[in-house]
Amino acid sequence: DIQMTQSPSTLSASVGDRVTITCRASQTISSWLAWYQQKPGKAPKLLIYKASTLESGVPSRFSGSGSGTEFTLTISSLQPDDFATYYCQQYTTYSYTFGQGTKLEIK
Amino acid sequence: EVQLLESGGGLVQPGGSLRLSCAASGFTFSSSAMSWVRQAPGKGLEWVSGVSGSDVNVDSTYYADSVKGRFTISRDNSMNTLYLQMNRLRAEDTAVYYCAKDMGRLDYWGQGTLVTVSS
């Protein structure tokens, strides 16, 4: 299986900050990468797919980049609603695999 | 509006069985691939199983190694319902189980159903 490694595991930031989360794949996955946001007690929500395509309805402060094995999720100006846990997921092949998650906390 | 509603979770003893259901609406279920994803308490997301849509290969199924041989995914397109039959359950199968519409990226998710495996 393809292993996905996110960093950092925890990120403390303030409203208005620009933050970046990194996801690395153990082998090339082209651009078959998605990012999700999850809040406590809720299902994950798709933010970005194909590495950089914003899902409909997702604010433009979210952006994704990368290809091959290294990817980033950037939030350009943190809003209070953005404090949550973020996961990357590769879907180049079954079994799909997720990163271990990045918890974004209020500083 | 796409809706996915899971049911069937509960408390089961180790070695027991449970069948989860996911009722789908708001999209063409029969042609959509579907997946199950689980999340153990306080842990991350783990993809469990997937099934193709009818326009690809009829009922091609896929499993994570951790559940292969114990879990079976199936679908009833006449009922717009996805299933996960879980046999020989273990304590480590304790989790919230989500069904999701599968386009590679998982674009719609249900609210989840909790499965607890404990004596």
Side-chain angles (χ1 to χ4, degrees), chain A residues 6-42:
Chain A
Q6 282 181 238
S7 60
S9 296
T10 306
L11 180 57
S12 296
S14 302
V15 173
D17 285 354
R18 178 185 180 90
V19 298
T20 297
I21 298 168
T22 298
C23 179
R24 290 186 174 86
S26 60
Q27 62 190 75
T28 184
I29 59 170
S30 185
S31 295
W32 303 116
L33 185 101
W35 289 97
Y36 302 87
Q37 177 193 68
Q38 187 180 33
K39 297 181 178 179
K42 300 295 186 182

Side-chain angles (χ1 to χ4, degrees), chain A residues 1 34 36 38 41-46 48-50 55 87 89-91 94-100, chain B residues 33 35 37 39 43-47 50-51 62-65 98 102-107 109-111:
Chain A
D1 288 0
Y36 302 87
Q38 187 180 33
K42 300 295 186 182
K45 173 188 174 184
L46 176 65
I48 287 169
Y49 62 94
K50 211 172 179 184
E55 175 72 346
Y87 294 93
Q89 175 228 344
Q90 68 80 18
Y91 55 98
Y94 288 114
S95 302
Y96 299 155
T97 44
F98 292 88
Q100 80 278 16
Chain B
S35 274
V37 176
Q39 186 168 38
K43 303 297 184 182
L45 301 169
E46 179 188 17
W47 176 84
V51 60
Y62 309 89
Y63 299 94
D65 287 344
Y98 297 100
D102 182 353
M103 295 186 66
R105 81 261 195 185
L106 304 171
D107 56 350
W109 298 63
Q111 87 291 346

Side-chain angles (χ1 to χ4, degrees), chain A residues 1 95-96, chain B residues 36 38 46-49 62-71 87-90 92-93 97:
Chain A
D1 288 0
S95 302
Y96 299 155
Chain B
W36 289 96
R38 68 184 180 184
E46 179 188 17
W47 176 84
V48 171
S49 182
Y62 309 89
Y63 299 94
D65 287 344
S66 58
V67 307
K68 202 171 292 183
R70 301 187 299 123
F71 289 12
N87 298 332
R88 291 185 282 148
L89 283 160
R90 306 167 179 166
E92 55 264 35
D93 296 318
Y97 285 73

